Amino acid sequence: MKKPSPVSRSGRFTGGPAADVAQFTQSISFDWRLWRHDIQGSIAHATMLQSIGILTRKELTAITKGLRQIAAEISAGSFVWKLELEDVHMNIESELTRRVPAGAKLHTARSRNDQVALDVRLWLREEITALLGEAVSLQRALVALGQENADVIIPGYTHLQRAQPVYFAHHLLAYVEMLERDCERLWDCHSRVNVCPLGSGAIAGSTLPLDRLMVARLLGFVDTEGKPQLTQNSMDAVSDRDFAVEFCAAAALLAVHLSRLAEDVILWAGTEFDFIKIADAYTTGSSLMPQKKNPDIAELARGKTGRVFGNLMSLLTLLKGLPMTYNRDLQEDKERLFDTADTVRATTRLMEALLLHTKVNKDSCATAAGDPSLLATDLADYLVLKGMPFRQAHHVVGAVVGLAEKAGQPLNELTLAQLQSVDNAFGPDAPAVFDLKRAMSKRNVVGSPGTKEVARQLARWRAQLS
Ligand code: ARG
């Protein structure tokens, strides 16, 4: 009898695939990066096979040793990947079996269908943890920049028009809030990634008495109480990629937030705003214009959002209409998933680095925030406190703004007589409304950009992120 081969075409096939078929169907060029998780999964599976008597102790030791050796070689870069062996699973198992005869028993009660689902889950679990770390670091950088410039006030904008004054820190903390929700979504996704599919076989489990709980425990597929988490339907387990979609969706929203932050940074760094100065090392020059210092990191952060959205759409489209259960289409999930994880993680890290190397131009901020029209709403509130209905106060202040415009005078330089020419409700205490410091001290509603409230929020985040 011919020696059994671990290659998927053993037995019924008479020859290998045509050259361009191998090229077309291979995934080794990208799924090799699952090698650590593949080996980790195989060691757990072999350990379980030994515990139920399928492998002897000696065989388990040989398999484990062989796999560790292969891991060392891959890590050192000396392992030779073979395209004709299709994917990371076949490459490793094939090489193991060449070295260790017992390797031929490793794939007992296992299919590449549950194996690949396992590997991707193991890989994604780590990626999510790493991404969460980057997101928290970015939150810290935002809080630090806000804290460093706790006294800086800038105009807040709606429609990109100056609206009302806000502390610069308040603006930054808005992103800290967004990132916090991103972290919550990623953690939530993690709980569904963290479920062990091994033991599902190709589609229908196994006739052998597998100990799935043991494998789950060995691989850390446990909830916060230490309870092992197993997939509950073998057909679902081998064809489910919801967890990948969820990750790509959470990452896409994170990318949206990074892109919005990037856009603010780009605006602020421009001469027209001039609110911040990015350190040279985190900007680039122009090949033609010697004076240029461009915020390329932020622009790429904004630009890379496109591929992250595309990856999510690709995955959803990939899954739509797939008949149960595993279909080779599913191999197309990996590059999209890898790209999203790599892109979002790098972008988060670079945005953090950029912020850590950014200085605030306090003078430009003060000039912009000194625009008295930012306090027009405060003037309406003043009238409200005099007993005027807000709709009327809004109208009156609108007329005051019109008067100032016509007179070519800043709002805060109108005399009491001019104010009273619009409405008699204005008293001698009206000009004090334009005292910016006083105005900021009055914004005490929870979540508003008042002096005390922003200090409280900064303290809360510093404590939460420490
Ligand atoms: N390389 C494949 C993938 O990424 C592994 C599973 C292949 N299974 C199969 N029955 N052909 O999905």
Side-chain angles (χ1 to χ4, degrees), residues 163-404:
Q164 291 186 289
V166 296
Y167 278 100
F168 181 64
H170 190 64
H171 193 136
L172 296 181
L173 289 181
Y175 286 103
V176 177
E177 297 282 348
M178 294 177 222
L179 289 166
E180 188 64 16
R181 293 194 294 274
D182 290 321
C183 289
E184 285 171 16
R185 272 184 286 272
L186 287 167
W187 256 123
D188 186 50
C189 169
H190 185 277
S191 68
R192 276 177 297 282
V193 174
N194 196 28
V195 182
C196 188
L198 210 64
S200 303
I203 169 171
S206 175
T207 58
L208 300 168
L210 305 182
D211 186 349
R212 292 193 63 202
L213 286 172
M214 178 184 185
V215 175
R217 274 197 205 94
L218 285 172
L219 294 172
F221 285 107
V222 292
D223 66 9
T224 45
E225 271 109 54
K227 192 167 163 267
Q229 303 294 301
L230 300 181
T231 56
Q232 296 294 317
N233 181 299
S234 62
M235 294 177 76
D236 179 40
V238 294
S239 61
D240 168 33
R241 296 293 183 272
D242 291 4
F243 62 90
V245 173
E246 280 186 48
F247 172 75
C248 285
L253 199 39
L254 169 56
V256 169
H257 298 151
L258 295 173
S259 173
R260 295 187 72 178
L261 173 60
E263 175 59 15
D264 276 340
V265 164
I266 292 163
L267 286 173
W268 289 345
T271 317
E272 279 68 17
F273 279 81
D274 195 34
F275 289 175
I276 58 169
K277 186 173 183 307
I278 306 167
D280 287 357
Y282 288 85
T283 59
T284 51
S286 156
S287 57
L288 189 143
M289 300 164 283
Q291 86 284 13
K292 288 298 287 292
K293 217 180 99 169
N294 296 327
D296 289 30
I297 292 179
E299 288 171 319
L300 281 168
R302 190 177 57 186
K304 283 178 188 292
T305 312
R307 59 202 280 170
V308 177
F309 289 3
N311 291 337
L312 172 62
M313 240 355 105
S314 294
L315 277 194
L316 287 168
T317 311
L318 179 69
L319 297 172
K320 169 199 168 293
L322 270 193
M324 291 286 270
T325 54
Y326 180 87
N327 298 270
R328 193 60 176 270
D329 313 44
L330 290 174
Q331 181 167 292
E332 288 286 309
D333 64 351
K334 273 163 234 54
E335 285 165 294
R336 309 282 54 90
L337 187 58
F338 294 164
D339 185 66
T340 283
D342 294 345
T343 303
V344 173
R345 202 165 138 189
T347 307
T348 310
R349 189 171 54 243
L350 266 293
M351 285 305 290
E352 180 214 347
L354 178 123
L355 291 181
L356 291 177
H357 294 86
T358 292
K359 288 268 167 280
V360 173
N361 294 336
K362 295 196 176 194
D363 291 345
S364 302
C365 293
T367 305
D371 178 352
S373 66
L374 291 168
L375 295 169
T377 311
D378 293 49
L379 195 60
D381 288 348
Y382 164 89
L383 292 173
V384 165
L385 289 177
K386 298 276 177 204
M388 193 182 284
F390 179 75
R391 284 291 168 217
Q392 191 187 337
H394 184 278
H395 185 81
V396 168
V397 175
V400 170
V401 170
L403 177 76

Side-chain angles (χ1 to χ4, degrees), residues 8 25-27 30-31 86-89 111-113 116 241 326-334:
S8 59
T25 57
Q26 66 85 24
S27 55
F30 49 86
D31 70 11
E86 276 186 31
D87 57 25
V88 64
H89 326 293
S111 156
R112 276 187 296 164
N113 299 353
V116 72
R241 296 293 183 272
Y326 180 87
N327 298 270
R328 193 60 176 270
D329 313 44
L330 290 174
Q331 181 167 292
E332 288 286 309
D333 64 351
K334 273 163 234 54

Side-chain angles (χ1 to χ4, degrees), residues 35-36 39-40 43 64-79 92 99:
W35 67 268
R36 260 191 317 111
I39 288 176
Q40 189 189 356
I43 290 176
T64 307
K65 221 177 117 197
L67 286 171
R68 295 226 163 98
Q69 212 171 55
I70 288 172
E73 287 165 28
I74 297 172
S75 169
S78 58
F79 188 81
I92 292 174
R99 298 175 187 193

